[in-house]
Amino acid sequence: MNAKAKSLFDYIFPAVGGLFATYLYNVVDGILVGQGVGASALGAVNIGVPFITFVVAVAAMFPMGGATIVAIRMGRGDEEGANRAFMTAFPSPWLCLYF
């Protein structure tokens, strides 16, 4: 395996693993609710899945975009701009959950 493919896999596996853990939570939640409470409660869990997916997407959007901006600014030698971009992107997912 060449260096580029190895580098790509080094980034892909943690991302896929994180999504796997997130959706494994949804599957286990559906199993436990379906077995413990019943079909009506399982329907309620399934109605909540798009909301959970949206929250995960928004929570991932700001750090990923922020990391890209920080990397670009650091590559240009703009340390102060990189620090400002980081401080802007860092609290954003948490603020989205409150508003």
Side-chain angles (χ1 to χ4, degrees), residues 69-70 72-85:
I69 299 298
V70 169
I72 290 170
R73 290 188 178 179
M74 288 180 73
R76 292 180 181 164
D78 183 12
E79 297 293 326
E80 183 179 338
N83 188 33
R84 280 184 306 191

Side-chain angles (χ1 to χ4, degrees), residues 1-94:
M1 182 182 306
N2 64 16
K4 287 184 181 181
K6 184 180 181 316
S7 177
L8 181 65
F9 285 119
D10 287 344
Y11 290 108
I12 288 175
F13 286 131
V16 170
L19 289 173
F20 178 76
T22 300
Y23 290 108
L24 182 65
Y25 163 78
N26 290 339
V27 170
V28 170
D29 191 31
I31 291 170
L32 293 176
V33 169
Q35 293 293 321
V37 181
S40 297
L42 184 58
V45 168
N46 288 330
I47 289 173
V49 169
F51 174 74
I52 292 169
T53 303
F54 177 75
V55 170
V56 168
V58 170
M61 179 175 58
F62 289 104
M64 287 180 190
T68 303
I69 299 298
V70 169
I72 290 170
R73 290 188 178 179
M74 288 180 73
R76 292 180 181 164
D78 183 12
E79 297 293 326
E80 183 179 338
N83 188 33
R84 280 184 306 191
F86 174 77
M87 294 309 292
T88 301
F90 180 69
S92 298
W94 310 113

